[in-house]
Amino acid sequence: MSWDMVLSQLHYIIPEESKHGTFVGRIAQDLGLDIGEINSRMLHIVSRDENEYFQVNLQNGILFVKETINRESLCPDTPFCIIPLQVIVDKPVQMYRVDVEIEDINDNTPVFSSSVTNLVISELIPSGSQFPLKGAIDPDLGTNSITHYELSASDHFSLDFQKYMNQIRSLKLVLKKTLDREKQSFHNLTLTAYDGGKPRLSGVTHLVIAVEDLNDNAPVFDQPFYQCSVTENAVKGTLVFKLNATDLDQGKNGEISYKFTNMEMEKLSKIFSLDKNTGEIRVKGEVDFETTKMYEIHVDAIDNGDHPMVGHCKVLVSVVDVNDNAPEMMVTSLSVPIPENSPKGTTVAIISVHDRDSGSNGKVSCKMSVIDLPFNVNSAFMGDFSLTVNGSLDRELKDQYEVVLIARDEGFPSLSVSKTLKVEIEDINDNSPVFFSRVTNLVISEMKPSGSRFPLKVAGDPDLGTNSVTNYELSANDYFALDFQKYINQIKSLELVLKKNLDREKQSIHNLTLTAYDGGKPRLSGTMYILVNVEDFNDNAPMFDQPFYQCTVNEITVKTSRSAEPGHLITKVKAVDLDSGYNAWTFYKLKDLGGSGKFPFTIAHQTGEITLKRSLTDSDNDEYRLYVIAQDHGEPLMTTETQIIISVVESGEELKFDNQETKVTFEAFSDENIYLVVAICIISTIFLITLIVFSVLRWQKYRVEVNELKENYKICSNTGGSWMYSQHTQYQISSNSSRPKSDLIVFTPNNFQTGNEEQVNPQGLMLSSSYKVRKMKYNSLWLVLKISCISYCFLYNNMLKSKKSKQHTKFYKI
């Protein structure tokens, strides 16, 4: 991201106290911004203080007042009140400087510090004497501030005020003629202050002037001015200086009291206190060297005579600095982001460090808190430091650094300040685009319409912006195009677009090359290979081989003898389907035209062989017209029809067969034949394994039965039985049992021969259960053999169909 610094300025003027929503200016139009994009570019205003006085309407680009502004509160001590604003828009980042000047209005009335002002003037004061008065205060500016004073009519007093730059700098009461306390001891006057605004506003104070008796000696200080010092941040009550004044008068006229002059009373009384009796000046408030390095205090010494007289002196108080201010750090220049290939010594930022303290308290140093960063801080000029590159940068490893700078002074105790700089690393084109996979396989049906889209995975590039992937190119072909969508110069989606319909029968595989390019300099690229397999759709009907494919125009006649036997081969038709797989599996049938079911002919669904279904008789026709339909197994079903005329001739006549009709061509093995042969081999193997297992199980069973017979024979001989009796028992068991005979001979011992049927039945049950188990095993094996034989015949039949060999056909029939 780059910043475009626009050095232009806008200056607006609005009156203070403007209400919410007051129009300020068309800021978007004045800055040359498109109103339609200020919302998307996130235009916003940043003010230096925390108050948000203004806001921009993002719909029309108008700057309006958000909060009411009081100029006197915002800018109390400046003649021009300007609010600086930073207008920032993103994408790309642009910054503008806008100043809004707050114009003063006459919203404040002149106010005197007191509604009543008391003055004491001796009757000995000569005419022409001037007495300074404290003027009124009006926070407004210019003509809205105080422009005129008026004094009520008086024979003894007049008003004198001096103007400078249309502002009244001094206000004095002038004695026009001497006072006579015996005639009038008090004078009550009204002093009115007027401003020049519209409407004109005014403030009033009452002057109460007391006329005192004679006091001809004024207090006198030892020196006209004094010098002293005080440490800043001195605690309250600290003695600054003690004044001493004397008065030659005696009595109450010689008693002296001290006070600040009226002109400085308001300001100094917050920082220093003056004991009116002792003349001690002490710290009352906060003394700050950085605010004021020296105070000039004017003190009046007033006696207590009937006509108090005043002596003046000036005290210069110097403030001694202490290390009570931490350094102030400001980044005057920040060049970010910086390219990741920036060499060592490249300047990243210029930092200005200032300490308001003086001497060693104001000397500062600057360094980084972490030293293992690829940056370094160098001293440039007094108070200025530069942050430079001191190592290799790699945006792909780290795209941003937080550099913490610490500025520390040399005072005691030492004070410091820290500031964090976010240094972003700018990308350069040092990485090539990389696809997720080197090769991508797509399966697309040939029935997909043109305009179909197939999403692809976009290539990755760790670079940013124009250095990342900005363009794709597809190798030249007639069927596919490429479409990709960009968002803020970033490709978000990538699709393969079908320009025209595919045809698997013409081309089943398409090899495409997709190349991704970035927009950097130099331009880098990455490649992916796309293998498109066209999926078959049943869009081709079966086609008969010659001469059957055009038999609707030229009829094909086939002759057969009337004395032919059932099953005699008349002819054979063959249809070929250009589709593949299940869509190309063709079977044949005769079209039923109402009564055709009585035809003495039939057709093999798989091979297309037309044979004699029954013997021909004299009542049969001499000529039959057959309509043969070839149908595939696809979705939807597709068929082709051909016509064959069968002519029945008498015995002894010469049968002429068209070689083309009876000729069976030998075709080479196709891929399907190979699959059929492999399947036949597998089933044959299963068949042989089944036979071997059957033989082994049968032999084991025979061995077990022989061993059992031997054991039973031993038992019979040991129990004293006779051989004849055993044979008799055997005969009874075999003859009385209604179940199938078993090949197992059972010898019953003599001690079991009790003549009770219940003792013989358990053995019969044993024979019956043993017979069932063996029968179940034999049936299972026999079922496996039958399935193997059926599968073998079915697969071999399909192979014969594909080969279409006459020799194989005869073998299959056998």
Side-chain angles (χ1 to χ4, degrees):
M1 184 183 296
S2 61
W3 287 15
D4 298 328
M5 300 298 296
V6 180
L7 302 179
S8 59
Q9 270 193 357
L10 292 180
H11 190 91
Y12 296 110
I13 301 176
I14 62 168
E16 67 173 326
E17 303 297 333
S18 296
K19 303 299 182 183
H20 174 77
T22 301
F23 173 84
V24 178
R26 301 184 182 276
I27 190 169
Q29 180 178 352
D30 296 339
L31 291 176
L33 299 175
D34 188 0
I35 296 179
E37 64 180 14
I38 61 174
N39 192 6
S40 62
R41 293 185 64 186
M42 302 173 65
L43 184 143
H44 58 283
I45 293 177
V46 178
S47 179
R48 290 184 179 178
D49 54 9
E50 298 180 354
N51 297 320
E52 296 181 0
Y53 295 108
F54 304 96
Q55 191 172 356
V56 176
N57 188 331
L58 297 180
Q59 302 299 324
N60 51 27
I62 293 178
L63 181 68
F64 61 93
V65 176
K66 183 179 179 182
E67 293 182 6
T68 304
I69 302 173
N70 188 337
R71 190 202 63 81
E72 287 75 23
S73 300
L74 185 63
C75 308
D77 299 323
T78 56
F80 295 96
C81 185
I82 295 177
I83 299 178
L85 302 176
Q86 286 182 342
V87 180
I88 299 175
V89 291
D90 296 333
K91 305 173 185 177
V93 176
Q94 292 179 312
M95 183 176 68
Y96 302 87
R97 170 69 181 271
V98 178
D99 293 338
V100 180
E101 181 179 351
I102 308 304
E103 189 179 36
D104 181 59
I105 63 172
N106 192 25
D107 58 339
N108 292 281
T109 302
V111 177
F112 288 90
S113 61
S114 177
S115 60
V116 177
T117 301
N118 296 310
L119 295 177
V120 178
I121 301 177
S122 175
E123 61 180 346
L124 293 179
I125 297 298
S127 59
S129 298
Q130 295 181 353
F131 305 92
L133 297 176
K134 189 174 183 180
I137 297 174
D138 192 342
D140 294 328
L141 297 175
T143 57
N144 294 327
S145 63
I146 299 173
T147 59
H148 185 70
Y149 285 92
E150 287 184 2
L151 188 66
S152 59
S154 175
D155 296 332
H156 294 85
F157 298 95
S158 63
L159 199 63
D160 182 27
F161 52 89
Q162 301 294 327
K163 285 187 176 182
Y164 177 72
M165 299 290 291
N166 293 326
Q167 292 187 359
I168 298 176
R169 297 297 184 181
S170 64
L171 179 64
K172 296 179 181 179
L173 184 67
V174 180
L175 183 62
K176 294 193 293 185
K177 63 180 182 179
T178 58
L179 301 174
D180 189 355
R181 192 190 62 81
E182 286 73 20
K183 291 183 179 180
Q184 186 176 355
S185 58
F186 290 92
H187 296 268
N188 294 316
L189 304 176
T190 301
L191 178 62
T192 305
Y194 295 94
D195 62 20
K198 293 181 180 180
R200 190 180 186 190
L201 302 178
S202 62
V204 176
T205 185
H206 297 283
L207 300 179
V208 178
I209 302 173
V211 181
E212 289 190 352
D213 201 7
L214 176 63
N215 184 14
D216 55 349
N217 288 291
V220 177
F221 287 94
D222 299 335
Q223 298 177 8
F225 69 93
Y226 301 91
Q227 287 184 340
C228 62
S229 63
V230 63
T231 304
E232 70 169 326
N233 299 328
V235 297
K236 294 181 180 180
T238 301
L239 178 64
V240 179
F241 195 77
K242 183 177 181 181
L243 298 173
N244 184 27
T246 57
D247 194 339
L248 297 178
D249 295 331
Q250 295 188 0
K252 65 178 183 179
N253 292 330
E255 296 176 359
I256 299 173
S257 60
Y258 303 90
K259 69 174 183 178
F260 297 123
T261 60
N262 293 332
M263 297 297 295
E264 298 179 350
M265 190 67 182
E266 182 178 356
K267 181 179 179 181
L268 291 177
S269 60
K270 296 179 180 179
I271 301 174
F272 301 100
S273 64
L274 177 61
D275 192 317
K276 65 178 182 179
N277 297 319
T278 62
E280 293 179 349
I281 299 175
R282 295 182 179 273
V283 176
K284 179 182 179 182
E286 182 180 359
V287 179
D288 189 1
F289 173 84
E290 288 70 35
T291 302
T292 305
K293 296 179 176 57
M294 180 177 290
Y295 293 92
E296 185 176 328
I297 304 175
H298 294 269
V299 180
D300 292 339
I302 305 173
D303 60 21
N304 292 329
D306 294 333
H307 303 284
M309 301 189 71
V310 180
H312 302 281
C313 78
K314 181 168 63 174
V315 180
L316 298 178
V317 180
S318 299
V319 180
V320 179
D321 180 49
V322 296
N323 192 27
D324 61 341
N325 291 280
E328 296 176 357
M329 185 183 302
M330 181 175 62
V331 179
T332 58
S333 177
L334 181 61
S335 178
V336 291
I338 59 174
E340 58 181 321
N341 61 343
S342 298
K344 289 186 178 181
T346 302
T347 301
V348 179
I350 297 177
I351 304 99
S352 179
V353 182
H354 174 69
D355 196 321
R356 293 191 296 169
D357 296 325
S358 61
S360 60
N361 296 330
K363 293 181 180 180
V364 293
S365 61
C366 183
K367 61 179 64 177
M368 295 187 303
S369 62
V370 180
I371 60 175
D372 60 348
L373 296 179
F375 301 99
N376 191 26
V377 178
N378 302 312
S379 177
F381 302 99
M382 177 176 260
D384 292 330
F385 299 88
S386 62
L387 179 66
T388 59
V389 177
N390 193 38
S392 60
L393 303 174
D394 191 347
R395 190 205 63 81
E396 285 72 38
L397 296 179
K398 192 168 186 179
D399 60 353
Q400 181 176 286
Y401 292 89
E402 288 191 357
V403 181
V404 180
L405 300 176
I406 299 177
R408 188 180 302 276
D409 61 25
E410 297 181 3
F412 184 82
S414 179
L415 300 178
S416 63
V417 66
S418 65
K419 191 175 188 64
T420 302
L421 298 182
K422 291 186 178 181
V423 180
E424 297 179 357
I425 309 303
E426 183 181 15
D427 181 60
I428 64 171
N429 192 27
D430 56 348
N431 292 279
S432 300
V434 178
F435 284 95
F436 178 77
S437 176
R438 184 68 175 174
V439 179
T440 297
N441 293 311
L442 294 179
V443 179
I444 302 176
S445 174
E446 63 177 327
M447 294 307 293
K448 284 288 185 181
S450 59
S452 299
R453 294 174 175 267
F454 308 94
L456 299 174
K457 290 186 178 181
V458 298
D461 194 329
D463 296 326
L464 295 178
T466 57
N467 293 329
S468 63
V469 178
T470 59
N471 191 24
Y472 287 90
E473 289 184 4
L474 188 67
S475 58
N477 65 92
D478 297 332
Y479 290 92
F480 295 96
L482 200 63
D483 185 24
F484 49 87
Q485 302 294 327
K486 285 187 177 181
Y487 178 73
I488 313 180
N489 293 329
Q490 294 292 325
I491 296 178
K492 297 299 182 182
S493 64
L494 180 64
E495 293 178 322
L496 194 65
V497 182
L498 189 62
K499 295 194 294 186
K500 63 180 182 180
N501 294 339
L502 299 171
D503 191 346
R504 190 203 64 82
E505 289 70 37
K506 292 183 178 179
Q507 186 175 355
S508 60
I509 297 177
H510 296 265
N511 293 312
L512 306 176
T513 302
L514 178 62
T515 305
Y517 295 96
D518 59 25
K521 294 182 180 179
R523 190 182 186 190
L524 302 177
S525 63
T527 302
M528 179 178 69
Y529 300 99
I530 303 174
L531 183 63
V532 180
N533 293 283
V534 182
E535 185 181 19
D536 182 57
F537 184 81
N538 194 28
D539 57 345
N540 292 280
M543 295 186 301
F544 286 97
D545 291 345
Q546 290 187 1
F548 301 106
Y549 81 97
Q550 56 181 0
C551 66
T552 56
V553 179
N554 301 320
E555 297 178 348
I556 302 300
T557 302
V558 179
K559 295 180 180 181
T560 184
S561 175
R562 189 179 294 274
S563 60
E565 297 296 329
H568 175 70
L569 177 64
I570 306 298
T571 186
K572 182 178 180 181
V573 296
K574 173 62 179 176
V576 178
D577 197 321
L578 296 179
D579 295 322
S580 64
Y582 204 67
N583 295 328
W585 185 14
T586 306
F587 76 99
Y588 308 91
K589 64 181 179 179
L590 297 177
K591 186 176 182 181
D592 190 2
L593 298 177
S596 62
K598 299 179 181 180
F599 286 171
F601 306 103
T602 184
I603 189 169
H605 295 306
Q606 303 297 332
T607 63
E609 294 178 346
I610 300 176
T611 58
L612 191 61
K613 183 169 60 175
R614 60 176 175 81
S615 298
L616 297 173
T617 63
D618 294 337
S619 61
D620 289 325
N621 298 333
D622 294 336
E623 184 178 276
Y624 289 92
R625 190 178 298 271
L626 302 182
Y627 295 90
V628 181
I629 298 175
Q631 178 179 306
D632 59 23
H633 287 72
E635 288 290 341
L637 295 174
M638 302 192 75
T639 61
T640 301
E641 182 178 321
T642 188
Q643 180 179 344
I644 300 175
I645 299 175
I646 300 177
S647 177
V648 180
V649 299
E650 297 298 331
S651 301
E653 294 185 9
E654 183 180 0
L655 299 179
K656 296 182 179 180
F657 295 94
D658 191 352
N659 293 333
Q660 297 296 331
E661 298 178 13
T662 60
K663 182 180 180 181
V664 179
T665 60
F666 179 78
E667 299 176 354
F669 278 105
S670 63
D671 293 339
E672 296 176 1
N673 300 141
I674 296 175
Y675 299 151
L676 293 175
V677 170
V678 172
I680 289 173
C681 293
I682 293 174
I683 293 177
S684 300
T685 304
I686 295 174
F687 177 76
L688 292 176
I689 293 174
T690 304
L691 289 178
I692 295 172
V693 172
F694 175 75
S695 301
V696 171
L697 292 177
R698 188 67 189 89
W699 173 253
Q700 290 180 350
K701 184 65 178 178
Y702 175 76
R703 292 285 301 275
V704 171
E705 289 174 351
V706 170
N707 293 332
E708 289 179 355
L709 287 174
K710 291 180 179 180
E711 293 295 330
N712 290 333
Y713 176 76
K714 291 179 181 179
I715 293 173
C716 292
S717 62
N718 292 333
T719 54
S722 63
W723 172 256
M724 294 298 294
Y725 188 81
S726 298
Q727 284 188 341
H728 177 71
T729 305
Q730 173 190 355
Y731 172 76
Q732 286 182 351
I733 292 174
S734 60
S735 61
N736 292 336
S737 178
S738 60
R739 305 181 186 275
K741 293 183 178 181
S742 173
D743 56 355
L744 178 64
I745 301 174
V746 180
F747 294 92
T748 306
N750 291 334
N751 57 348
F752 290 136
Q753 189 68 23
T754 61
N756 192 347
E757 250 182 311
E758 293 179 357
Q759 296 176 350
V760 179
N761 286 339
Q763 296 178 355
L765 293 176
M766 290 173 58
L767 292 172
S768 176
S769 61
S770 174
Y771 171 76
K772 288 182 179 179
V773 170
R774 284 180 295 177
K775 182 178 181 181
M776 185 180 299
K777 292 181 179 179
Y778 297 154
N779 290 340
S780 300
L781 293 173
W782 178 242
L783 179 61
V784 172
L785 293 175
K786 287 195 291 183
I787 293 174
S788 300
C789 291
I790 293 171
S791 301
Y792 181 86
C793 293
F794 175 75
L795 294 174
Y796 193 74
N797 183 27
N798 288 337
M799 187 181 72
L800 292 176
K801 174 190 172 183
S802 62
K803 286 185 175 183
K804 306 172 187 176
S805 174
K806 184 175 181 180
Q807 293 79 2
H808 287 80
T809 303
K810 292 180 179 180
F811 175 77
Y812 169 68
K813 289 181 178 180
I814 293 172

